[in-house]
Amino acid sequence: MGTKGEMFLDFEGDEIRIFHFEGRWWETIHTNGRVDGTLVGGHGGGDRGIIRSFCSLLAGTYDGNSITDIVTSVENHLVAFAAEVSRLNGNVVDLRAYEEEVRKSTHQA
């Protein structure tokens, strides 16, 4: 979802549907089951790359920059969850206050 519309991706099928807020109309793009290689698999096929990078890190052959540390990963997920709370409630979410709320609700304060 963005400021101009919302996109729906059918991982099992062959289409991307876009709802345009301005004019309130739908656009459908048929992919024949493929976009840049594949739509099949976790995260549109991206999980395969994550696992490859992780295995090469464990083997000592990793030379890329696609793996983040756990702190960065958790922070990135908190941003996404806070954005969803903001969308649902129609207000701005203070990220640090939201993080504290999450920590208290999981007993990790």
Side-chain angles (χ1 to χ4, degrees):
M1 178 177 282
T3 57
K4 296 184 178 186
E6 188 170 6
M7 183 170 62
F8 300 87
L9 177 58
D10 179 1
F11 280 103
E12 302 301 321
D14 75 336
E15 65 182 30
I16 299 169
R17 294 177 42 223
I18 303 167
F19 181 71
H20 297 267
F21 294 150
E22 186 176 331
R24 305 193 57 78
W25 62 281
W26 286 95
E27 174 183 3
T28 301
I29 301 169
H30 294 280
T31 64
N32 297 320
R34 301 177 98 46
V35 172
D36 293 329
T38 184
L39 292 179
V40 179
H43 294 102
D47 283 354
R48 182 177 296 162
I50 292 169
I51 295 301
R52 262 195 224 113
S53 293
F54 181 67
C55 289
S56 67
L57 178 71
L58 294 177
T61 59
Y62 181 73
D63 61 1
N65 60 1
S66 65
I67 296 178
T68 61
D69 60 84
I70 190 67
V71 172
T72 302
S73 183
V74 168
E75 287 176 351
N76 290 341
H77 281 77
L78 279 171
V79 168
F81 297 145
E84 179 66 0
V85 169
S86 175
R87 183 187 72 82
L88 292 172
N89 296 334
N91 62 347
V92 175
V93 173
D94 178 292
L95 191 56
R96 293 302 157 215
Y98 178 74
E99 179 181 7
E100 186 63 28
E101 181 183 322
V102 169
R103 285 181 187 279
K104 286 180 182 177
S105 71
T106 60
H107 309 292
Q108 296 182 20

